[in-house]
Amino acid sequence: MNFGKLFNFISDNNINPEEIFNLVEKVKKSDLKDENNIRSIIHEVAKIAGKPIDKNKEDALVKKILSDGVSEDIIDML
């Protein structure tokens, strides 16, 4: 993973790093083959970033994660 991209996303969106660490723990414990878990995580990321996410973008993210797993280009989709 490109941590530079991640750190830029965090700083550009004024995100509390503690929220990211909590989210990482949630992701570690989640089954990323379960669409409901993925949607929950996507909503949490949107909330933390303070960015709304529309249904089309959410569906695209879910499809990408289910087919390719979590990759660094997901940050670009946010």
Side-chain angles (χ1 to χ4, degrees):
M1 169 153 275
N2 183 337
F3 288 105
K5 243 185 207 186
L6 181 59
F7 290 133
N8 286 339
F9 180 77
I10 291 169
S11 66
D12 290 347
N13 293 285
N14 196 27
I15 297 171
N16 178 341
E18 188 173 323
E19 290 180 294
I20 295 296
F21 293 128
N22 292 336
L23 179 61
V24 167
E25 286 303 312
K26 179 178 180 174
V27 170
K28 282 183 182 177
K29 296 174 184 176
S30 295
D31 175 6
L32 295 181
K33 302 234 183 273
D34 182 315
E35 184 175 326
N36 291 325
N37 288 339
I38 295 170
R39 289 186 187 279
S40 173
I41 291 167
I42 290 169
H43 286 274
E44 192 163 335
V45 169
K47 180 181 172 191
I48 290 170
K51 293 185 173 192
I53 186 157
D54 64 46
K55 181 76 170 137
N56 290 334
K57 187 180 277 190
E58 179 182 335
D59 290 343
L61 284 166
V62 168
K63 183 178 177 183
K64 175 103 175 117
I65 292 169
L66 285 173
S67 67
D68 300 341
V70 178
S71 63
E72 65 185 60
D73 61 333
I74 285 184
I75 293 173
D76 295 330
M77 295 178 74
L78 298 172

